[in-house]
Structure formats: structure tokens, C-alpha cells
């Protein structure tokens, strides 16, 4: 139990780097951060492919197309919109919105997979949804109060982009689970490596598109941006390598280790470590303690997510089962 808890904590601490990186590199547009992160991840996936070479050879053309779709939406579009959201609205609000992911997936599954996996009763989910809504409202109140009137439009853009990122990261695990269920004889690790491999040419293509846009004067990069190095080459390279190694690979490895050691319901609750780490990094970057209302918002969000994750879905047969409140 202790080692599983520590693995989950390590995963959350590493995943939180994803949210602070756009704040550490505010002079790099979101498109550069997206391309740089997944170029690093793709390069890391190449030596990993040697381990699962036999499994990778079993993948069909349709499987590789599915991997491209999953990576395009769950990796590239997700991080593009998330990085842009954080650079516009700051760290706390987008982090809170993404932190609702476990509950949003449960709500979506209520409509999509009820016949296969069962469903959550709305009256059971209602308290969790209320706590989450109140938590986001508290943090939004704090963040919006600090925004100058002339920057309000940019702040609202960030909130909207965070919602798009949430939609991408909700779609990804549902569709990824669909593929794994349909290919129960395949190695999940090899499937993850396959998705990492397809990010490499996609990231290289992203840099080509950025180069063309820069050469033709399209307004994709900020005016005066020195492509491809940018104003701070080595901090950019170092952070992209760190995010690619720790957030994209080692964090997932630690999470898998935790999943093998802990009950599934407990592991689901420990995903809040990512949200807490991201919020802590954001406040550290600001160099200040969060206000009381901001802390209250975080507590409400975490409470709502944990409440929802302790519920058990009603099986398709209609027989209702719930996890006892005292059980982990």
C-alpha cells in the first residue's frame, strides 16, 4: 500500500509539470510547446519500440490509423489548447477545469456505455457535481478579480480553451479503452509505445508547418519570434526533454506501478495528486500563497472528485451496487 501510494504521488508530481511549463516559457507560443513536447516523447519511444517489436509488428494498418487519431486529439490538440489556456488565463483555472476529468468521463459514460458497463445514478452524482461547480466558481472568482478589465477577453479565451482541452482528454481515454477492449489479446504497453512512435513524425510535421508559417508570414507565431530556437533555446530544450521524459513516460510508468499495487477505486482518487501538484507549481511560480477562497475552491473540487470516484455504477442488469463509504 505504501509503495503504491508513493508511486501515485510521484506520478502526480511529474504530471503537474505539464501545467507549469507554459508559465515558465511564456514567450514560446503553445504550438511550439506542443511540437517540442511530443518531439521529445517520440524520440523516447524509439528505443522503447525495441522491447515490444514483436507486438508492434502485429498491428494492422487500421490499428496505426487509430493510434494516429488518438495521438492527434489526446496528445497534440489537448496540449495545444491546454498550453494556450494556461498562457491566457493563468494556471489555477485551467488546472481546476482539467481536474474534473474523472467525473466528466463518468458522466459521458452514463450516456455512451451504460448498456455495457452500467451507469451512475444522477442523484448519486449530484452532490459531487455540485461540489465541483462550487470549487471552480471559487477559483474563477479569485482569478477573474485579479484580471485587468482590458485582459478579460483573453482570460475568457483561456477558459474556453481549457474546456476544449477537457473535451479532448475526455474523448481520448474512452476511445483508447474501446480499442483495448476490442483487442484484449494485445499488450497495452506495446499499444502505448505505438502511440508514442506516431507522435515523432507528427511532431516533425508540426515543426515543418511552423517553419512554413514563419516563412510566409502567417500569424501562427508571435511577431518577431526567432524560429526555431526562440528567445531561450536551452531552457526550451531542457523543459521539453523534462516534460517528454517525466510527464509523458516516467509518470505513466509510476502510475501503472501504483495501479498494480492499489485497489482501483483508491487509485482513481489518487489522480487528484496531479491537480494538487499543478496548482502548487502555479502558486510557486507566482511566489505567493493562494487566497482563502482559492484554497476553498481546491478543497471543494477534490472533495467532489473523491465523492464521485467512490461510487459504483449500477450494473446493466439493474442490480444496484455501491461501494461502502468506509471501504477504500
Amino acid at each position: 500500500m505504501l509503495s503504491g501510494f508513493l508511486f501515485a504521488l510521484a506520478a502526480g508530481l511529474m504530471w503537474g509539470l505539464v501545467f507549469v511549463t507554459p508559465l515558465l516559457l511564456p514567450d514560446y507560443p503553445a504550438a511550439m510547446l506542443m511540437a517540442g513536447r511530443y518531439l521529445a516523447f517520440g524520440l523516447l519511444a524509439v528505443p522503447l519500440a525495441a522491447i515490444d517489436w514483436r507486438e508492434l509488428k502485429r498491428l494492422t494498418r487500421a490499428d496505426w490509423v487509430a493510434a494516429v487519431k488518438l495521438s492527434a486529439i489526446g496528445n497534440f490538440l489537448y496540449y495545444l489548447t491546454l498550453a494556450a489556456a494556461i498562457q491566457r488565463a493563468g494556471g489555477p483555472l485551467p488546472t481546476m477545469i482539467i481536474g474534473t476529468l474523472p467525473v466528466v468521463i463518468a458522466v459521458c459514460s452514463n450516456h455512451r456505455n451504460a448498456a455495457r458497463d452500467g451507469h451512475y445514478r444522477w442523484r448519486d452524482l449530484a452532490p459531487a457535481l455540485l461540489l465541483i461547480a462550487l470549487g471552480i466558481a471559487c477559483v474563477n472568482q479569485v482569478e477573474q478579480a485579479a484580471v485587468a478589465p482590458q485582459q478579460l477577453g483573453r482570460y475568457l479565451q483561456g477558459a474556453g480553451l481549457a474546456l476544449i482541452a477537457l473535451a479532448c482528454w475526455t474523448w481520448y481515454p474512452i476511445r483508447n479503452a474501446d480499442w483495448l477492449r476490442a483487442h484484449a489479446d494485445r499488450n497495452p504497453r506495446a499499444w502505448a509505445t505505438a502511440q508514442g512512435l506516431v507522435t515523432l513524425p507528427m511532431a516533425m510535421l508540426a515543426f515543418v508547418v511552423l517553419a512554413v508559417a514563419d516563412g510566409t508570414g502567417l500569424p501562427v507565431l508571435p511577431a518577431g519570434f526567432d524560429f526555431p530556437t526562440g528567445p531561450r533555446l536551452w531552457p526550451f530544450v531542457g523543459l521539453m526533454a523534462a516534460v517528454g521524459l517525466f510527464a509523458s513516460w516516467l509518470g505513466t510508468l509510476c502510475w501503472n506501478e501504483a495501479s498494480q499495487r492499489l485497489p482501483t477505486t483508491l487509485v482513481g482518487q489518487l489522480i487528484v495528486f496531479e491537480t494538487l501538484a499543478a496548482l502548487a507549481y502555479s502558486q510557486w511560480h507566482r511566489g505567493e500563497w493562494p487566497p482563502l477562497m482559492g484554497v476553498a475552491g481546491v478543497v471543494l473540487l477534490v472533495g467532489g472528485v473523491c465523492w464521485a470516484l467512490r461510487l459504483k455504477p449500477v450494473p446493466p442488469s439493474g442490480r444496484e451496487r455501491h461501494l461502502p463509504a468506509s471501504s477504500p
Side-chain angles (χ1 to χ4, degrees):
M1 289 288 288
L2 177 59
S3 63
F5 180 87
L6 293 176
F7 272 119
L9 175 61
L13 292 174
M14 286 185 280
W15 283 343
L17 295 173
V18 170
F19 294 82
V20 76
T21 298
L23 300 176
L24 296 173
L25 296 171
D27 38 6
Y28 282 79
M32 283 286 293
L33 299 179
M34 174 268 293
R37 173 186 177 179
Y38 289 109
L39 178 63
F41 179 45
L43 291 173
L44 284 170
V46 172
L48 295 176
I51 301 174
D52 296 310
W53 182 246
R54 291 184 179 180
E55 284 290 326
L56 291 173
K57 289 196 297 183
R58 295 179 60 196
L59 297 178
T60 65
R61 179 179 179 181
D63 294 331
W64 287 108
V65 170
V68 169
K69 291 179 180 178
L70 287 166
S71 291
I73 296 177
N75 290 333
F76 285 85
L77 184 58
Y78 163 72
Y79 197 55
L80 176 66
T81 51
L82 176 63
I86 292 172
Q87 290 182 336
R88 286 165 171 77
L93 182 63
T95 300
M96 291 283 286
I97 291 174
I98 299 300
T100 66
L101 178 67
V103 181
V104 173
I105 291 176
V107 170
C108 291
S109 296
N110 259 10
H111 293 281
R112 188 174 185 273
N113 297 325
R116 184 187 72 187
D117 302 329
H119 69 281
Y120 294 90
R121 297 187 302 181
W122 289 111
R123 66 175 179 269
D124 293 336
L125 278 174
L129 297 176
L130 178 61
L131 288 173
I132 289 171
L134 290 174
I136 292 177
C138 288
V139 172
N140 178 68
Q141 177 67 25
V142 172
E143 294 298 305
Q144 190 170 337
V147 175
Q150 61 271 24
Q151 294 294 322
L152 182 58
R154 182 176 175 84
Y155 175 83
L156 294 177
Q157 287 178 7
L161 288 166
L163 290 174
I164 297 175
L166 176 62
C168 292
W169 201 233
T170 300
W171 178 90
Y172 171 84
I174 292 175
R175 289 304 183 106
N176 192 54
D178 287 345
W179 190 93
L180 290 171
R181 284 176 179 265
H183 301 80
D185 60 326
R186 303 297 177 84
N187 187 332
R189 185 187 64 197
W191 180 236
T193 301
Q195 293 182 45
L197 286 175
V198 299
T199 64
L200 182 56
M202 294 169 68
M204 296 173 66
L205 178 61
F207 273 110
V208 170
V209 171
L210 289 173
V212 172
D214 181 63
T216 57
L218 294 176
V220 175
L221 298 173
F225 185 83
D226 187 14
F227 181 84
T229 61
R232 295 183 292 155
L233 173 61
W234 293 116
F236 172 71
V237 171
L239 281 170
M240 293 302 98
V243 171
L245 173 61
F246 294 111
S248 296
W249 181 72
L250 188 56
T252 302
L253 178 61
C254 287
W255 187 256
N256 291 341
E257 293 288 341
S259 299
Q260 289 181 334
R261 288 167 169 79
L262 300 174
T264 302
T265 50
L266 179 57
V267 172
Q269 295 177 53
L270 295 183
I271 201 171
V272 299
F273 283 148
E274 177 189 18
T275 302
L276 295 177
L279 290 168
Y281 295 158
S282 297
Q283 294 301 143
W284 165 79
H285 180 261
R286 290 181 174 181
E288 60 183 22
W289 290 98
L292 183 60
M293 183 173 288
V295 174
V298 174
V299 172
L300 287 168
L301 173 74
V302 172
V305 171
C306 290
W307 181 303
L309 289 172
R310 294 180 72 85
L311 300 175
K312 294 285 280 185
V314 178
S317 63
R319 181 169 55 86
E320 297 179 4
R321 295 180 298 179
H322 292 275
L323 188 68
S326 60
S327 177

